[in-house]
């Protein structure tokens, strides 16, 4: 399994970015893609996740209403649309994948098996 994030860059506060997480090395859509971020000097935190098979989603309170997760199954890609960006959104953003069906969405880092290399998002105020 290989995950590649892209789309991170420098953007002004109030702007928008769309991050992509392209997955390869597996088939089927019974998996969850999670988005996490780590700001300088802080622990990594969950931002959002999506169950690809049933479109169930979750958002952290800090991004709710500003970030939207979506998918393109044909491309095996999950996107994170980030609007109204704030300086506090500055971080390295990681996507991660875990397989199988479950009752509740996985929100913890240790619930994910595969990780991408991360993409830097910098929001200037």
């Amino acid at each position: 399994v290989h995950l590649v994030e892209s789309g991170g860059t420098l953007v002004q506060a109030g702007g928008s970015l769309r991050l992509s997480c392209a997955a390869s090395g597996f088939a089927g859509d019974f998996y969850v893609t999670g988005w996490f971020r780590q700001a300088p000097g802080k622990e990594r935190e969950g931002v959002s996740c999506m169950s690809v098979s049933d479109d169930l989603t979750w958002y952290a309170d800090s991004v709710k209403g500003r970030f939207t997760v979506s998918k393109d199954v044909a491309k095996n890609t999950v996107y994170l649309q980030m609007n109204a960006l704030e300086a506090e959104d500055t971080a390295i953003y990681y996507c991660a994948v875990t397989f199988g069906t479950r009752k509740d969405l996985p929100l913890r880092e240790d619930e994910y098996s595969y990780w991408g290399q991360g993409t830097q998002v910098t929001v200037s105020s």
Side-chain angles (χ1 to χ4, degrees), residues 31-106:
Y31 65 95
V32 175
T33 296
W35 286 98
F36 294 80
R37 67 185 181 186
Q38 187 166 22
K42 295 186 177 181
E43 293 186 355
R44 191 154 56 184
E45 63 176 355
V47 174
S48 178
C49 64
M50 167 181 265
S51 173
V52 174
S53 62
D54 58 12
D55 294 340
L56 193 62
T57 59
W58 169 84
Y59 298 94
D61 288 343
S62 59
V63 307
K64 205 171 291 184
R66 300 188 297 124
F67 290 11
T68 304
V69 62
S70 63
K71 67 181 183 183
D72 184 332
V73 175
K75 295 182 179 179
N76 246 13
T77 299
V78 172
Y79 303 98
L80 184 67
Q81 178 68 42
M82 307 187 296
N83 298 327
L85 283 162
E86 305 167 352
E88 291 74 23
D89 296 317
T90 294
I92 299 174
Y93 283 71
Y94 300 89
C95 69
V97 162
T98 185
F99 294 95
T101 58
R102 60 194 68 229
K103 180 181 178 182
D104 300 313
L105 286 172

